[in-house]
Amino acid sequence: ATNDLGRAAWWVCNGDLRFANDGKTLLSWGPGEKDAGGLSVWDVETRQLRHRLHGDSIGSNVKNIDLSSDGQLVATASFANEARVWSLTSGEPMSVPLVHTGWVHNVHFSQDGEHLVTNCGDGYARVWDWKTGQLAGPPLQHGGEVYDALFTNDGRFVISVERNAVRVWEWNAGISVAPPLEFDGVGLQLTITPDDRKLIVGGFLKQLLIVDLSSLTNVNGDPSPNELLLRSELISGYRLHDNGGVELLPGSQWLERWSE
């Protein structure tokens, strides 16, 4: 290719391309020289560069991006140990750098655009109020490097994947709502269906892993008193005695109740 848009394809051999919501804007990122790398925004119809969101500030450090549901904002995750939110139209920064202690592998907006979840090589996923630059909840600690994390579409949970396990979090409280779902291989990417009923895990796996999430987001009919009791004990970590007292729920009994 002889035009500028064609040149972009050569530089993204270890990056990616993505259309914006309007179908007329293309974003490209990947390694290369400082003036050719980073995150570029292209006009598909004219095949010309509109702007580079980072200018020359971070060069080719963009690792992944996400677009807000309204198509007005783009969030970047970078090898420079930070995430940031930008205006897709103007290219101006809309947030301060969200600084981490390791590479930021991926970044995702919540459906309402108010929060951002990042996952990092330091073993944590984090939920941010990106407008203030502050954490919106406790960091979500994993046993190893976190390769991807995203919100369910209703915003209630964060789902993350580390090397060989998927975790589901009540992100406001910073607690896991279920035991880790372990699998063979290395999970690197997550996607969730629009109805929040299925999670798909990709990576260095023999096959795609599909996880049924419907029990997290739906309670069919009127739950029985026993089901309400089980749910309350799982959420609180305490159990009820017949005399009305409560005590800490041992881990083995918590797992038995989760299985039930």
Side-chain angles (χ1 to χ4, degrees):
T2 58
N3 53 51
D4 287 340
L5 181 56
R7 289 181 65 243
W10 190 86
W11 291 108
V12 296
C13 55
N14 288 316
D16 209 342
L17 298 165
R18 189 173 305 171
F19 280 103
N21 298 12
D22 61 7
K24 299 178 181 179
T25 305
L26 185 69
L27 294 91
S28 66
W29 65 98
E33 297 176 0
K34 181 177 288 189
D35 63 349
L39 179 63
S40 300
V41 181
W42 304 87
D43 186 305
V44 175
E45 293 181 345
T46 65
R47 304 174 71 83
Q48 297 300 314
L49 177 68
R50 290 180 182 168
H51 47 249
R52 291 191 175 93
L53 300 187
H54 290 275
D56 292 335
S57 61
I58 68 166
S60 60
N61 283 323
V62 173
K63 190 175 190 297
N64 262 313
I65 71 164
D66 190 41
L67 293 161
S68 59
S69 58
D70 63 7
Q72 300 300 306
L73 302 170
V74 57
T76 55
S78 83
F79 292 110
N81 299 357
E82 69 177 43
R84 200 162 187 178
V85 177
W86 309 80
S87 166
L88 185 60
T89 303
S90 69
E92 295 298 318
M94 302 297 289
S95 76
V96 299
L98 308 176
V99 179
H100 297 66
T101 57
W103 288 357
V104 184
H105 290 300
N106 219 331
V107 60
H108 292 282
F109 282 104
S110 58
Q111 186 67 22
D112 61 10
E114 294 296 315
H115 295 101
L116 205 66
V117 60
T118 61
N119 51 281
C120 186
D122 63 5
Y124 288 89
R126 296 172 173 88
V127 176
W128 301 84
D129 180 340
W130 60 266
K131 294 178 183 177
T132 66
Q134 302 297 315
L135 290 173
L140 309 177
Q141 185 174 9
H142 297 66
E145 198 162 1
V146 190
Y147 293 108
D148 202 3
L150 46 67
F151 292 98
T152 53
N153 294 300
D154 62 9
R156 293 173 57 194
F157 303 102
V158 162
I159 303 177
S160 62
V161 62
E162 51 188 325
R163 183 177 180 85
N164 59 356
V166 168
R167 295 177 181 267
V168 181
W169 302 87
E170 185 76 51
W171 64 265
N172 288 285
I175 59 173
S176 178
V177 302
L181 175 62
E182 297 181 349
F183 53 84
D184 294 329
V186 179
L188 297 177
Q189 289 183 312
L190 302 173
T191 190
I192 194 168
T193 55
D195 60 5
D196 276 339
R197 297 182 67 86
K198 302 290 184 183
L199 174 77
I200 298 93
V201 184
F204 296 121
L205 308 170
K206 294 182 178 179
Q207 59 188 13
L208 292 175
L209 177 67
I210 301 176
V211 183
D212 183 2
L213 300 177
S214 58
S215 61
L216 285 176
T217 54
N218 294 284
V219 178
N220 296 321
D222 188 16
S224 67
N226 182 59
E227 182 177 350
L228 289 173
L229 176 61
L230 284 173
R231 288 177 178 269
S232 64
E233 291 182 338
L234 285 167
I235 292 170
S236 68
Y238 287 83
R239 63 179 179 180
L240 289 174
H241 286 299
D242 292 339
N243 62 8
V246 297
E247 69 176 6
L248 190 67
L249 186 65
S252 59
Q253 294 186 23
W254 191 94
L255 288 171
E256 288 175 3
R257 283 160 170 75
W258 173 257
S259 297
E260 184 176 348

